[in-house]
Amino acid sequence: MKAIDVLMNEHQAIERLLHVLRAASERLSQGLPVRPGLFLDAVQFIREAADGLHHHKEELIFFKAIAPYQQKIVDVLLEEHVLARTYTANIAKAAQAWQADDPSFVGEVIKNARLYADLLQDHIAHENKLVFPVSSW
C-alpha cells in the first residue's frame, strides 16, 4: 500500500463524518431534534483524527515533499486547513453554548457545520483528483 492510499482511506472516514454533519444540520434546520453533543463529538473526531492525524501527515510530510513542484497548490491546501480549523472552533464554541441551554447558538452550529462540510468535501476532491494522482507516493 502506498502512502497516498492511506491518505485516501482517511479521506473516506472524513467523508463519513461530513455526511453526519450535513444530515444533523439538515435535521436541525427543519426543527427536528439533534443533541448538541453530536456536534461536540464531531469536533473531537475532527481535532483528533481529521486534523490531528490526517492533516498533520499532509502538512508535515506530503506537502513538504511536493512543495518544490506544486507550491501554489500547497499554499491553497494549507489555507483550507486553517479555514477548517476556524470552522471547527466555531462549531465547538456554538455547540458548547447551545449545550449550556442557549438555543440561540443553534444557527451558528448549523452554519459552521455546513461550511466545514462543504470546504472539506471540495478539499478532499481536489486532493484525490488533482494532487494525489500526480504523486508517486
Side-chain angles (χ1 to χ4, degrees):
M1 178 179 279
K2 290 182 171 184
I4 293 301
D5 296 330
V6 172
L7 294 173
M8 290 182 78
N9 287 341
E10 291 171 354
H11 280 172
Q12 291 175 354
I14 295 166
E15 287 175 316
R16 286 191 292 276
L17 170 75
L18 301 180
H19 175 74
V20 169
L21 284 174
R22 282 194 179 100
S25 296
E26 183 61 27
R27 284 183 59 83
L28 276 176
S29 69
Q30 294 174 1
L32 298 171
V34 177
R35 62 183 182 81
L38 179 138
F39 292 94
L40 295 172
D41 291 345
V43 165
Q44 182 178 358
F45 176 84
I46 293 166
R47 288 180 172 160
E48 292 177 7
D51 191 36
L53 296 174
H54 179 78
H55 287 167
H56 279 135
K57 286 180 203 173
E58 290 178 340
E59 292 172 6
L60 298 175
I61 301 168
F62 184 69
F63 292 171
K64 285 184 180 183
I66 67 167
Y69 314 101
Q70 299 184 11
Q71 186 61 54
K72 288 182 182 180
I73 290 172
V74 168
D75 290 344
V76 169
L77 296 173
L78 288 170
E79 288 175 19
E80 290 174 349
H81 283 187
V82 170
L83 187 55
R85 290 178 185 122
T86 300
Y87 294 148
T88 302
N90 291 346
I91 295 166
K93 181 179 176 183
Q96 288 166 347
W98 172 28
Q99 189 171 46
D101 282 337
D102 190 345
S104 69
F105 282 90
V106 169
E108 281 299 305
V109 170
I110 294 169
K111 177 180 88 172
N112 284 283
R114 286 176 172 166
L115 288 169
Y116 179 86
D118 291 346
L119 174 69
L120 262 287
Q121 193 67 55
D122 290 345
H123 180 85
I124 288 169
H126 186 205
E127 287 181 345
N128 285 353
K129 293 176 184 168
L130 300 174
V131 180
F132 291 171
V134 299
S135 171
S136 61
W137 283 39

